[in-house]
Amino acid sequence: MVTLEAEALHLAFEGGPEVVRGVDLRLEGGRLVALVGPNGAGKTTLLRALAGLLPSDSGRVLVDGADLATLSARERARRIAIVPQDGQALQGTSLFDFVLGGRYAWRRPWAAPSREDEERVLAALAEAELTARRDDRVETLSGGERQRLLLARALAQDADLLLVDEPTAALDPRRQLWVFDRLAEQAGAGRGVLVVTHDLNLASQYADEIHLLVAGRIRASGAARDVLAARVLAEIYGEDLLIGEERAARWAEPRPFILPWRRPGPPRP
Amino acid sequence: MRSRSHVVVAGTMAGLLLVLLVASLGVGPGDSLDFVTAMRGARSLVGLGSELEPLLQATLELRLWRVLTAAGVGAALALSGALLQGVFRNALASPGVIGVSSGASLGAALAILALGGGAAMSLGAGGGRFAPLFIMLSAFLGSAVAVTIVVMLAAHRGRVSMPALLLTGIAINACCGGLQAAIMSFSLGDYQLLRAIFAWTFGTLDDKAALHVMVVWGALALGVLVIPFVATELDLLAGGEDDARGLGVRTGRTRALAVGAAAFVAAAAVAVAGQIAFVGLIVPHLLRGLFGRGHRQLLPLCVLGGALFLVGAEFLQLVTVGRSALKPGTFMSLVGGPFFIVLLLRQRREFRTW
C-alpha cells in the first residue's frame, strides 16, 4: 500500500514569510483525504511540496518511506500525479496529445508513444467523458471540460498518488459531484487521493479524512463531524454559517453540511 | 497532423534543398557554369575525376562554399530561433535576444580593428588565410562571452528566470551595440576598416572557404544532437514550469540544453556569416503556422526549412538583382520585414493569444 508522509514540514516563499509551519500529514492508498482551510492558509503551497515541486526549508516528504527529494523527476512523476488548478492557458495541441503528456515519465526520450501509452490515454479520455473530442484543440474546451482534461492527463500518468488542487471551482453542481465521484473511484481502486478544496460540503461527503489547515498549521484532523464542528468553523470562518447534518446508509455517523448564511444585524468581525 | 505527413514534408523539403543547392552552383560571381561541368567540378573535390580548368574550378569552389555556408547558416539560425521560442514560450524570441548576434559583432569588430581593415577584407594568399579564421574565432568568443554574461546576470541561486534573461539580453545587446558604434566612430577615417566592419555587420556569404563550411556544419551537427532530449520537454513546458515538472520533466536541464544549443549554433552561424536577421525569427514562425507547435516535428523541420530559406533567398537574389548587389542580411531584412507583417496580419487572431 502506497504512502505519502510529510514530517515537520516548513515551507516559505523565497525571502518571504513562512507559509507552512510544521505540518505532519499522512496519505495512504485507498483513502480520499481532503485538505480544507481559509484563503491563504497555505493549502496549495503544501500540495506543491507534497508533489515534490517545492523544496522544503526543513522537514521532509516521504513516499513509501523514501525521501521525495532523492527521487528523479521521472520516478517522482510515476508515483505522484498532480492535477493543477485550472488557470493555465491551454493552447495549440489536440486533447489526445495533451493527455499523452501524462505518459512522459513512462516513455523513453524521443521514443514514439507505445501501444500501452495510447491505450492509457484513450482510457483516461473515456473516463473523463472526452473521447468524442479527442482530436479537437484544447483551446476550444469550456472551463468544465478543461478541468476534466486535466484530470484525464493525471489519470494517464498512472501514479498511485493523486494530488488534486481545487478541482471544482469552475464547475456546476452536477459536475462537482461528478469530479468527486471520479476521485472516490480512484481511492476505491487503491490510490491515495489528496484534494485541496474550499468546498466544505464536498469534503464532508466524500473524504475519509479531513485536514483543516489554518495559517500554515493543521488546526484539526479527522472525520468530517469532528473537523467541521460548529465551534471550530465559527472560530475560523466567523459566525455567518448555517450548519446542518445529513445521514446516509454508507456513513457510520451523520456528516455536516455548511452554507454561507448572513445572520441578521451588523456583520461580525 | 500525424507524423507520416511530416516525413513527406521533410522529404519534399530535403529534395527541394538539394535541387536549389545544385542550381545555385550555376549562378553567382564569375562565369556561368552549366550543370554537367558543375557536377564534374564538384566530383573532383571528393577525389572523383579531374578538376576543371583552374579559373572555372575556382569559381565553382567559391560558389560551392558559399551555398553550403548559406545552407548551414540558415539551418543553424532557424534551429536556434525555434529552440529559444520554445524555451521562452514567445514567438518573438530569436538568437538576437540573448546577446549572440551583438556579442559576435563586437568580437568581429575588435578582431578587424586588431588586424586592420585591409587584411580583414582580403582572403588572398599569405597572411589573408589567417584573417578570416581570426575574425571568426573572435566573433564566436564574443558571442560566448555575451551569452555567458547574460545568463550569469539572469541567474539567481542556480536558477535562470526567463524574463530576467530577456531583460539582461536587451541590456547586454545595448552595451555591445554601444561599444561597436564607438569602435566605428573612432575609425571613421579608415575607410577600409569601416568597410570591413560594415560588411560583417550586415552579414556576408562572399569569400567563404571550406573552413567556414566546416565550422557552421560542425556546430549544427552538435546542435541537432540536442533535439531528441528537448523536443517533447519543450512541448510540455508550454503549460508552465510547475506543470512540466509535475509530469516528470527536468525543466532546468531542458532549459540549459535548449538555450546552450541555441546559443552555440547561432554563435557559429554569426561567426561565419555575420548578422543575418529574420531567419531565426521567421522560419520557425512560418513552419509552426503550417505544421503545428509540436517540437518533435518543428525542430527538425526548422533545420531543413532554415537551410532552404536562406539558400532560396540567396538564389533569388542572385537571379534577380544580380551578383551580390545586396548583403544577405540586408536582403533578408528588406524582404523579410514586409513578409513578416503579412504573416502577422494573416495570423492576427492566433498572435493575440500569446
Side-chain angles (χ1 to χ4, degrees):
Chain A
M1 193 66 85
V2 62
T3 61
L4 181 69
E5 293 161 286
E7 286 182 353
L9 205 59
H10 289 259
L11 305 164
F13 289 122
E14 195 175 302
E18 220 171 45
V19 181
V20 169
R21 314 166 183 192
V23 164
D24 292 278
L25 195 141
R26 185 179 164 85
L27 175 65
E28 279 174 13
R31 285 175 77 77
L32 174 61
V33 175
L35 185 62
V36 302
N39 289 327
K43 302 186 296 292
T44 296
T45 306
L46 178 56
L47 191 83
R48 287 180 64 210
L50 290 173
L53 302 182
L54 198 67
S56 60
D57 292 303
S58 71
R60 45 184 199 159
V61 179
L62 304 173
V63 189
D64 289 337
D67 194 332
L68 193 56
T70 64
L71 297 184
S72 77
R74 276 169 191 269
E75 283 170 345
R76 172 169 53 67
R78 288 179 190 181
R79 290 167 174 226
I80 305 175
I82 182 161
V83 183
Q85 201 168 347
D86 185 34
Q88 55 172 317
L90 305 180
Q91 206 190 9
T93 60
S94 69
L95 268 63
F96 184 91
D97 286 341
F98 184 84
V99 175
L100 186 60
R103 299 300 299 164
Y104 174 79
W106 300 93
R107 290 165 64 186
R108 286 203 310 273
W110 195 244
S114 68
R115 168 141 302 191
E116 193 199 341
D117 290 329
E118 293 190 348
E119 279 168 3
R120 295 246 180 218
V121 170
L122 290 176
L125 281 168
E127 180 82 0
E129 297 176 12
L130 288 168
T131 303
R133 306 201 56 183
R134 51 175 281 196
D135 293 322
D136 291 353
R137 284 164 67 97
V138 286
E139 55 265 42
T140 65
L141 297 183
S142 71
E145 287 168 329
R146 289 153 65 108
Q147 189 61 56
R148 273 146 64 196
L149 184 69
L150 291 170
L151 180 63
R153 189 180 63 174
L155 294 182
Q157 203 168 329
D158 197 26
D160 283 333
L161 293 160
L162 208 52
L163 308 185
V164 190
D165 193 5
E166 207 67 72
T168 56
L171 303 184
D172 65 44
R174 195 172 67 93
R175 278 296 174 191
Q176 294 181 12
L177 294 173
W178 181 90
V179 164
F180 271 80
D181 283 339
R182 298 290 83 72
L183 296 180
E185 269 174 23
Q186 293 301 317
R191 298 203 155 92
V193 181
L194 180 73
V195 54
V196 163
T197 181
H198 273 299
D199 197 313
L200 303 175
N201 298 304
L202 290 168
S204 174
Q205 283 176 73
Y206 283 94
D208 299 310
E209 187 181 7
I210 299 176
H211 298 289
L212 178 58
L213 191 71
V214 181
R217 292 195 181 89
I218 301 267
R219 169 70 176 72
S221 292
R225 208 180 186 190
D226 305 326
V227 176
L228 304 179
R231 179 180 47 80
V232 182
L233 293 176
E235 177 192 320
I236 291 158
Y237 294 104
E239 302 280 350
D240 289 335
L241 296 169
L242 188 61
I243 303 172
E245 280 192 339
E246 273 288 296
R247 289 172 187 283
R250 61 186 186 279
W251 295 334
E253 54 181 7
R255 296 194 176 187
F257 60 85
I258 299 107
L259 299 172
W261 203 268
R262 181 67 77 209
R263 303 290 182 186
R268 277 163 253 244
Chain B
M1 196 180 290
R2 285 272 151 258
S3 53
R4 190 168 305 160
S5 56
H6 285 106
V7 174
V8 174
V9 169
T12 312
M13 281 166 75
L16 204 58
L17 180 61
L18 207 63
V19 170
L20 262 177
L21 285 176
V22 173
S24 296
L25 294 179
V27 295
D31 298 325
S32 64
L33 283 166
D34 64 81
F35 178 71
V36 181
T37 321
M39 280 299 101
R40 197 151 56 81
R43 275 209 310 276
S44 76
L45 284 173
V46 285
L48 299 169
S50 57
E51 294 194 357
L52 306 173
E53 64 165 287
L55 196 61
L56 273 185
Q57 183 71 24
T59 304
L60 176 83
E61 285 184 22
L62 214 56
R63 288 179 185 177
L64 189 64
W65 303 142
R66 175 195 182 88
V67 72
L68 286 179
T69 304
V73 166
L77 291 176
L79 174 62
S80 176
L83 284 169
L84 291 173
Q85 289 173 15
V87 170
F88 289 116
R89 294 188 274 150
N90 190 324
L92 294 177
S94 69
V97 300
I98 53 169
V100 172
S101 311
S102 62
S105 281
L106 182 60
L110 286 172
I112 293 169
L113 191 67
L115 288 168
M121 285 306 281
S122 73
L123 189 81
R129 194 109 193 110
F130 164 74
L133 181 65
F134 181 67
I135 296 176
M136 198 158 67
L137 271 178
S138 180
F140 189 83
L141 215 65
S143 231
V145 169
V147 173
T148 308
I149 293 176
V150 167
V151 171
M152 272 171 51
L153 287 180
H156 181 61
R157 290 195 191 175
R159 290 174 59 85
V160 178
S161 113
M162 292 297 125
L165 196 59
L166 282 176
L167 289 172
T168 47
I170 291 170
I172 295 297
N173 278 341
C175 295
C176 290
L179 284 171
Q180 183 168 353
I183 292 176
M184 289 171 85
S185 307
F186 283 123
S187 47
L188 274 177
D190 188 338
Y191 170 73
Q192 289 273 33
L193 191 69
L194 206 57
R195 204 183 103 145
I197 297 179
F198 184 80
W200 211 90
T201 306
F202 286 91
T204 178
L205 291 166
D206 298 333
D207 303 331
K208 294 303 169 223
L211 177 71
H212 295 100
V213 176
M214 284 192 303
V215 167
V216 70
W217 280 86
L220 182 64
L222 284 176
V224 165
L225 284 182
V226 167
I227 293 178
F229 299 99
V230 300
T232 312
E233 287 76 1
L234 286 178
D235 288 347
L236 297 180
L237 264 176
E241 167 91 25
D242 249 20
D243 197 51
R245 286 177 59 211
L247 297 171
V249 178
R250 292 165 66 185
T251 53
R253 189 185 76 150
T254 301
R255 290 215 167 104
L257 274 178
V259 172
F264 182 70
V265 296
V270 181
V272 161
Q275 294 194 32
I276 298 180
F278 267 112
V279 182
L281 185 65
I282 216 168
V283 172
H285 197 77
L286 197 62
L287 292 175
R288 197 181 295 116
L290 288 173
F291 306 113
R293 289 156 191 265
H295 286 88
R296 290 162 68 90
Q297 285 86 35
L298 183 65
L299 295 176
L301 285 181
C302 274
V303 174
L304 279 171
L308 195 59
F309 191 71
L310 194 54
V311 171
E314 272 293 288
F315 182 74
L316 269 183
Q317 187 201 318
L318 288 174
V319 169
T320 55
V321 191
R323 53 170 69 172
S324 295
L326 290 174
K327 297 291 178 199
T330 319
F331 184 73
M332 204 52 84
S333 300
L334 284 176
V335 177
F339 182 62
F340 197 57
I341 292 174
V342 172
L343 213 66
L344 288 182
L345 287 176
R346 286 188 52 186
Q347 300 178 351
R348 214 186 241 179
R349 222 184 45 165
E350 190 192 352
F351 192 74
R352 203 181 288 148
T353 58
W354 270 95

